[in-house]
């Protein structure tokens, strides 16, 4: 196994970096060889976590360029603040390293487009890149996707997606980049809701048009929204509603419901809560739901690297999710519907979406 073991650099040693490191430490086909973070304390804490788990001691670096020149690295995991993802991933891809990017792919569509081009060039040279969207690998979500692809729900007519969470003021204050446009790229939708947006697109297909309203309902010390609602039309003729908030005390559930002319399903908190086909409930499917998490996505990515295949989540998939989130912010800012393709192609790159986050009426 040693000759096929991926040597991983973890870039960003905070909470999500520790999640990636723990996932890798439990695998025989990957090993953390480098830790990258300008914060020496964060690096040291993660080094201790790894060595206490019986892992070899990784080298430590202030920046990615130094790690790529100073360590044996074949795979780079980007776990830094969201607004730095694309730039760091490009550095790694240009050095022909495989890349895993924590969600979202970035917060800027223009940077994401450049990364998409770099990922395509790298793929032509046998280099794999993927973006974390681990809920595609939850067993319940997979059952719904398989049913949609098989046409078991008939014509898809509508969907609803909601992320009703609570985040305290202390949560936003704990890390200076949280709740900022520059590095968080948005609030409840970009940070907490992007996974749900990705599932919505995975189930329903590409969006056509988006209308939205975003506001700060409870957290006024942050720059971004804590509540957003949107309506989306899709290429298949269906419509969807999207709701995300971090102002739902004490915190509710995450749901994605899909409705069609011959059936439908609902995934709630990563588990299959409802599955109907031909007007009947399919009892055999509703017990499906062990969350897949990062482990399942690492299974997929490392298999793709070994076999030279496309991973289950591509950089373009993640760009589509980011584009949808940005389209919501742009539609709220302009107070009119916007076309998904126009956002994807850069028509609205210069729109200052911070103007579109309203305050609730007094």
């Amino acid at each position: 196994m040693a000759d096929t073991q991926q040597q991983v650099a973890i870039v960003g040693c905070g909470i999500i970096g520790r999640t990636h490191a723990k996932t890798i430490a439990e695998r025989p086909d990957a090993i953390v060889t480098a830790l990258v973070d300008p914060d020496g304390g964060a690096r040291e804490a993660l080094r201790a976590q790894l060595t206490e788990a019986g892992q070899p001691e990784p080298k430590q670096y202030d920046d990615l360029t130094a790690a790529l020149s100073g360590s044996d690295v074949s795979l780079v995991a980007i776990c830094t603040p969201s607004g730095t993802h694309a730039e760091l991933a490009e550095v790694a891809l240009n050095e022909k390293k495989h890349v895993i990017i924590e969600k979202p792919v970035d917060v800027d569509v223009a940077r994401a487009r450049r990364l998409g081009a770099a990922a395509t060039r790298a793929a032509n040279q046998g280099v794999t890149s993927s973006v974390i969207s681990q809920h595609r690998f939850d067993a319940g979500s997979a059952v719904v996707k398989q049913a949609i692809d098989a046409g078991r729900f008939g014509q898809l007519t509508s969907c609803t997606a909601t992320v009703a969470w609570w985040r305290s003021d202390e949560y936003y204050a704990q890390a200076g980049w949280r709740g900022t446009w520059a590095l968080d790229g948005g609030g409840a939708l970009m940070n907490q809701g992007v996974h749900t947006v990705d599932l919505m697109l995975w189930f329903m297909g590409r969006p056509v048009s988006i209308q939205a309203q975003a506001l700060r309902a409870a957290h006024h010390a942050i720059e971004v929204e804590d509540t957003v609602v949107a309506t989306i039309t899709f290429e298949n003729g269906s419509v969807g509603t999207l709701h995300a908030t971090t102002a739902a005390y004490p915190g509710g559930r995450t749901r994605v419901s899909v409705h069609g002319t011959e059936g439908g399903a609902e995934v709630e908190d990563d588990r299959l809560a409802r599955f109907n086909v031909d007007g009947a409930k399919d009892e055999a499917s509703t017990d499906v739901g062990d969350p897949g998490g990062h482990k399942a996505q690492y299974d997929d990515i490392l298999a793709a690297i070994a076999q030279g295949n496309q991973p289950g989540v591509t950089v373009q998939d993640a760009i589509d999710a980011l584009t949808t989130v940005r389209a919501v912010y742009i539609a709220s800012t302009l107070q009119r519907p916007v076309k998904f393709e126009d956002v994807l192609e850069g028509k609205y790159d210069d729109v200052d979406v911070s103007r579109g986050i309203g305050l609730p009426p007094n």
Side-chain angles (χ1 to χ4, degrees):
M1 180 64 73
D3 58 341
T4 60
Q5 193 175 52
Q6 294 296 323
Q7 298 166 305
V8 186
I10 302 285
V11 187
C13 297
I15 294 172
I16 201 64
R18 294 195 289 272
T19 297
H20 282 250
K22 182 177 185 296
T23 302
I24 293 162
E26 294 170 352
R27 306 186 63 90
D29 53 357
I31 184 172
V32 176
T33 56
L35 301 177
V36 182
D37 199 305
D39 183 340
R43 292 198 313 264
E44 179 58 28
L46 185 47
R47 181 207 64 78
Q49 172 186 312
L50 286 164
T51 55
E52 286 168 11
Q55 297 292 297
E57 183 146 336
K59 295 181 179 179
Q60 298 186 40
Y61 300 92
D62 286 334
D63 65 79
L64 177 57
T65 301
L68 294 177
S69 62
S71 281
D72 292 326
V73 171
S74 58
L75 171 63
V76 175
I78 308 293
C79 305
T80 53
S82 304
T84 65
H85 287 178
E87 183 178 355
L88 289 166
E90 272 200 81
V91 169
L93 289 173
N94 289 339
E95 294 296 321
K96 297 183 171 56
K97 307 300 182 185
H98 304 297
V99 173
I100 298 175
I101 306 167
E102 184 54 53
K103 64 84 183 170
V105 63
D106 201 88
V107 302
D108 182 90
V109 176
R111 285 198 299 264
R113 281 196 300 272
R114 290 193 295 272
L115 174 60
T120 298
R121 291 193 301 270
N124 292 333
Q125 299 174 320
V127 177
T128 298
S129 54
S130 187
V131 181
I132 293 294
S133 193
Q134 74 268 29
H135 297 298
R136 287 196 188 195
F137 298 88
D138 294 339
S141 300
V143 167
V144 176
K145 175 63 171 173
Q146 289 160 9
I148 291 170
D149 289 349
R152 298 186 69 194
F153 298 154
Q155 175 190 338
L156 294 181
T157 55
S158 67
C159 66
T160 61
T162 182
V163 180
W165 290 3
W166 172 255
R167 290 292 184 267
S168 65
D169 289 335
E170 289 74 21
Y171 164 83
Y172 288 105
Q174 279 172 358
W177 63 276
R178 287 182 184 156
T180 67
W181 284 111
L183 292 178
D184 216 355
L189 188 58
M190 180 70 83
N191 191 317
Q192 284 76 25
V194 69
H195 282 309
T196 305
V197 171
D198 179 71
L199 272 188
M200 194 183 203
L201 269 55
W202 196 43
F203 292 158
M204 306 304 291
R206 284 170 73 82
V208 175
S209 180
I210 294 99
Q211 302 183 68
Q213 187 70 54
L215 67 153
R216 274 187 298 274
H219 303 96
H220 304 312
I222 61 176
E223 299 174 359
V224 297
E225 92 291 350
D226 64 12
T227 303
V228 62
V229 292
T231 58
I232 302 173
T233 60
F234 294 93
E235 286 182 349
N236 63 10
S238 66
V239 295
T241 61
L242 174 63
H243 162 246
T245 184
T246 54
Y249 185 84
R253 295 176 175 176
T254 300
R255 293 188 182 95
V256 180
S257 301
V258 176
H259 310 284
T261 56
E262 297 176 23
E266 180 170 286
V267 177
E268 181 177 281
D269 289 342
D270 309 331
R271 295 180 177 273
L272 188 60
R274 180 178 63 81
F275 189 91
N276 301 95
V277 178
D278 297 327
K281 186 175 180 181
D282 185 343
E283 296 289 352
S285 297
T286 53
D287 63 351
V288 173
D290 291 334
H294 282 71
K295 177 189 181 301
Q297 189 158 3
Y298 264 88
D299 288 345
D300 172 79
I301 292 167
L302 291 169
I305 291 171
Q307 298 162 14
N309 299 331
Q310 281 277 84
V313 182
T314 66
V315 169
Q316 188 57 55
D317 291 331
I319 292 172
D320 286 350
L322 169 64
T323 299
T324 303
V325 172
R326 287 290 296 181
V328 167
Y329 294 151
I330 292 163
S332 180
T333 300
L334 301 180
Q335 286 295 290
R336 61 174 173 80
V338 299
K339 300 287 189 187
F340 173 84
E341 286 293 337
D342 288 344
V343 179
L344 184 64
E345 293 170 5
K347 180 177 179 180
Y348 297 106
D349 280 357
D350 60 348
V351 172
D352 177 8
V353 297
S354 68
R355 296 187 295 108
I357 309 305
L359 295 172
N362 292 326

